Amino acid sequence: MLEGTVFRFGDNIDTDLIIPARYLNTSDPAELARHCMEDADPTFAARVQPGDIIVAGANFGCGSSREHAPVAIKAAGVACVIARSFARIFYRNAFNIGLPILECPEAEAIAPGSRVRVDLGTGRITVVDTGAEYRARPVPPFMREIIAAGGLIPYVKARLAGGR
Amino acid sequence: MGRVPQTITEKILAAHAGREFVEPGELINARVDVLLANDITAPLSIREFEQLGVPVFDPAAVVLVPDHFTPNKDIKSAEQAKTVREFARRHDLPNYFEVGRMGIEHCLLPEQGLVGPGDVIIGADSHTCTYGAIGAFATGVGSTDLAAAMALGETWFKVPETLKFVYTGKLGPWVGGKDLILRTIGEIGVEGALYCAMEFSGPVIESLPMDGRFTMCNMAVEAGAKNGIIAPDEKTEAYVRGRARRPYRVFASDPDARYKKVYEFDVTGWEPCVAFPHSPDNVRPVRAAGKIAVDQVVIGSCTNGRLEDLRLAARVLRGKKVHPDVRLIIIPGTQEIYRQALKEGLVEIFIEAGGAVSTPTCGPCLGGHMGVLAAGERAVATTNRNFVGRMGHPKSEVYLANPAVAAASAVMGRIADPEEVV
Ligand code: SF4
């Protein structure tokens, strides 16, 4: 169970907003985290606390394939991203690097600054103050296997070791 | 059991999954023919791959192109490029392309015959979808996906539903692949093809040169698509013949294939258009742009850095001068394109007009180097993204257009229709 404060963003939050290309001359997660969401909200990196949650509209993570985007979000301490929908490469990348993400059609009903509890297993999202509940789409079983293994690389390692 | 009608995307995926047919929505494991990464994404892939402690499944299948921040723009970029170079040496990868012999990846791979019709190609770069123009299934993935596939020679896909786009009518002057795709994205929006395949077809596509087809498939990802694809025809065969390094296989959609949706566009009367900041679907005809002064014009990138694009720009710039307030930067997509542009006298025309011509690089397209914008500056670019901060300062603006519009804007000092100049 995760619990954190919500940072709200709109539709089509692209990878250039999540981590501008001018910072891509490194792949150091801590350095990427310092510039996370910089062009969408320059104060984000300074304000975000470990365990906080990003909530956004449609097509979150659109644009480039840069894995630096979910890496920056994860390294900034964000516990989970909830959005109405995700761009497909971002969706794969997030699972592969172990950043939990949830697709929730009602994501935009969750107010900025509210405390929410997220049950990744069931996809239940609860707003602590109001008790309002939302349901996220269930995570496909294959994705759950990857998460259970600790990401794609450990998953592949196990697969190689098992000779499958 | 009866025949199952399939789209070209479904057929290619089925063939690589060892299956008769596949259904949209299914998760499959598919063999990959080519894997691509660049100087930004490869270092992450390499870090992940080396944890596996296995050899690359097929060294010839891995293509590494340092093109984003090269020639190295600073020390950190130099370190990243070095990581890629050393990895290529250590694993004896024949398809590493060094500065001076390289190009922007999505111009380079088709030109060098590294990708062919019927291939499955994954690249740690979102514009990998470009290769759909030769009838391949090509899609962008992240660095970790690429690392896993370098070890396994396969990856998983969710079979996409296909959206079919049929273009009929007659293309107007100065209207090309860039305008077709911008208008299309303008119609369906930047999430209009989310998770889907975009299949481009119809008489207008058949008449479109290969370079225009690459431009269209390149920008499929800007509508959220997983891949863009065009069935191979004689033009494709003529392009691929003499280049292909491996046998290839031509697929086509069955006439009764199932589509999520079919869009029909009559392009008669379509004009050159411009995507306004800060979204590729914010599209207007260039003549409705109003008086928008520009500081910089960039002609290049994996979208419009090919020979046809440079020829088009030269037709507009011949005998003209770049407006005193404008910096015109022209970047041929590959060394080969650069050489051909020299031979045809295009580079002469550009320099004569007052433009700067650079060695192949992504450079300004992603606000990397070679033309980064300051706060409040505006650029017209033939690139594919005009997100906030894409070409530099978050308070700068990028307008996307075709090479003729870009060239005309460089001359006029404001967004302009080529007709105003030629
Ligand atoms: S030219 Fe631009 S869009 Fe194309 S690969 Fe380079 S940075 Fe990406």
Side-chain angles (χ1 to χ4, degrees):
Chain A
M1 187 78 86
L2 306 172
E3 184 176 325
T5 302
V6 168
F7 282 80
R8 272 293 309 270
F9 294 92
D11 289 339
N12 301 313
I13 294 297
D14 60 69
T15 51
D16 281 273
L17 291 174
I18 298 170
I19 181 73
R22 56 185 181 275
Y23 302 121
L24 297 184
N25 55 4
T26 178
S27 57
D28 174 28
E31 214 175 318
L32 294 171
R34 271 200 287 283
H35 302 291
C36 185
M37 306 307 283
E38 188 169 292
D39 289 355
D41 175 359
T43 69
F44 177 83
R47 288 192 296 140
V48 68
Q49 298 293 321
D52 283 350
I53 290 167
I54 287 178
V55 177
N59 206 18
F60 187 88
C62 61
S64 92
S65 69
R66 65 188 70 152
E67 208 160 284
H68 311 67
V71 166
I73 291 174
K74 191 180 174 202
V78 172
C80 164
V81 182
I82 302 166
R84 184 141 58 85
S85 63
F86 290 90
R88 56 160 287 276
I89 305 178
F90 183 92
Y91 186 85
R92 284 182 87 116
N93 287 349
F95 282 103
N96 288 345
I97 64 131
L99 172 69
I101 59 175
L102 287 174
E103 258 184 337
C104 172
E106 299 158 304
E108 285 138 302
I110 303 170
S114 53
R115 295 285 294 175
V116 296
R117 252 184 234 132
V118 179
D119 185 336
L120 289 176
T122 63
R124 199 198 341 253
I125 303 162
T126 315
V127 180
V128 176
D129 289 346
T130 65
E133 281 199 1
Y134 304 98
R135 284 252 159 216
R137 290 216 178 85
V139 174
F142 174 68
M143 298 301 217
R144 283 209 297 269
E145 268 181 56
I146 292 179
I147 292 176
L152 184 65
I153 293 300
Y155 175 83
V156 171
K157 241 189 196 164
R159 202 182 128 175
L160 288 170
R164 278 203 281 153
Chain B
M1 194 186 63
R3 183 187 64 91
V4 177
Q6 299 271 283
T7 67
I8 177 169
T9 296
E10 289 155 7
K11 285 184 186 177
I12 296 172
L13 287 175
H16 284 75
R19 300 263 301 269
E20 282 291 311
F21 63 91
V22 293
E23 300 259 16
E26 248 188 295
L27 285 176
I28 55 161
N29 263 320
R31 214 164 33 73
V32 291
D33 299 296
V34 180
L35 303 87
L36 161 75
N38 57 52
D39 52 317
I40 290 182
T41 58
L44 268 178
S45 293
I46 292 167
R47 196 200 287 163
E48 298 296 319
F49 175 80
E50 302 217 304
Q51 293 180 35
L52 293 172
V54 292
V56 175
F57 86 101
D58 174 7
V62 178
V63 183
L64 297 176
V65 189
D67 56 355
H68 279 59
F69 292 155
T70 55
N72 306 331
K73 76 159 180 142
D74 55 19
I75 294 170
K76 282 184 183 169
S77 317
E79 297 291 347
Q80 285 188 306
K82 190 174 164 208
T83 303
V84 182
R85 185 179 305 117
E86 289 180 348
F87 179 78
R89 282 198 197 128
R90 209 160 51 242
H91 290 267
D92 267 324
L93 306 183
N95 294 314
Y96 167 76
F97 291 88
E98 191 55 273
V99 169
R101 280 87 79 191
M102 48 76 89
I104 299 172
E105 52 205 45
H106 310 308
C107 299
L108 187 73
L109 269 63
E111 173 196 283
Q112 295 296 316
L114 291 161
V115 290
D119 280 356
V120 167
I121 304 142
I122 59 170
D125 190 278
S126 59
H127 292 103
T128 301
C129 53
T130 308
Y131 317 130
I134 54 170
F137 174 84
T139 191
V141 298
S143 295
T144 300
D145 269 320
L146 197 88
M150 280 203 290
L152 301 173
E154 59 173 47
T155 193
W156 65 273
F157 294 111
K158 187 164 157 190
V159 179
E161 295 182 289
T162 298
L163 299 172
K164 186 178 185 180
F165 296 84
V166 186
Y167 300 86
T168 58
K170 198 171 153 17
L171 275 185
W174 308 109
V175 181
K178 184 60 160 288
D179 305 287
L180 292 177
I181 191 64
L182 283 177
R183 279 284 300 248
T184 302
I185 298 168
E187 295 287 334
I188 68 172
V190 290
E191 43 172 320
L194 200 59
Y195 302 122
C196 294
M198 290 175 92
E199 185 176 319
F200 304 112
S201 62
V204 174
I205 302 300
E206 284 158 30
S207 71
L208 206 61
M210 285 310 292
D211 284 4
R213 298 182 186 184
F214 283 121
T215 304
M216 290 191 73
C217 289
N218 174 271
M219 288 193 72
V221 66
E222 261 59 69
K226 179 172 215 149
N227 65 313
I229 197 160
I230 296 173
D233 59 9
E234 311 83 71
K235 280 196 180 127
T236 322
E237 295 264 8
Y239 180 87
V240 172
R241 209 177 304 129
R243 292 178 200 264
R245 300 197 189 181
R246 287 174 287 112
Y248 56 90
R249 198 169 154 199
V250 171
F251 291 89
S253 294
D254 293 319
D256 51 350
R258 280 166 303 170
Y259 294 96
K260 185 181 184 193
K261 198 166 173 185
V262 179
Y263 293 87
E264 293 192 29
F265 294 121
D266 181 349
V267 305
T268 313
W270 281 19
E271 297 173 24
C273 57
V274 178
F276 275 51
H278 291 286
S279 185
D281 62 1
N282 193 6
V283 175
R284 298 180 210 173
V286 63
R287 287 200 293 185
K291 293 244 179 304
I292 296 176
V294 298
D295 304 286
Q296 177 169 300
V297 170
V298 175
I299 298 175
S301 87
C302 61
T303 314
N304 286 114
R306 297 184 182 82
L307 197 59
E308 289 282 338
D309 301 313
L310 300 186
R311 285 182 184 147
L312 211 54
R315 260 173 67 197
V316 176
L317 289 166
R318 183 188 301 274
K320 302 288 186 317
K321 289 286 179 211
V322 172
H323 189 278
D325 298 338
V326 176
R327 293 111 46 189
L328 169 64
I329 299 163
I330 299 182
I331 308 180
T334 66
Q335 292 287 122
E336 195 45 48
I337 295 167
Y338 201 163
R339 196 214 316 256
Q340 194 59 32
L342 271 170
K343 257 196 219 155
E344 294 184 14
L346 310 181
V347 172
E348 183 74 30
I349 293 171
F350 299 149
I351 295 176
E352 198 53 47
V357 185
S358 150
T359 193
T361 179
C362 294
C365 172
L366 79 162
H369 61 146
M370 297 289 301
V372 176
L373 298 175
E377 287 193 323
R378 248 188 230 130
V380 172
T382 66
T383 55
N384 45 43
R385 288 190 178 134
N386 54 355
F387 300 154
V388 169
R390 175 71 181 179
M391 202 171 268
H393 197 280
K395 291 212 167 61
S396 62
E397 293 182 344
V398 178
Y399 294 73
L400 306 175
N402 76 33
V405 170
S409 305
V411 172
M412 301 299 287
R414 60 168 169 82
I415 293 180
D417 189 331
E419 294 289 325
E420 296 179 60
V421 175
V422 180

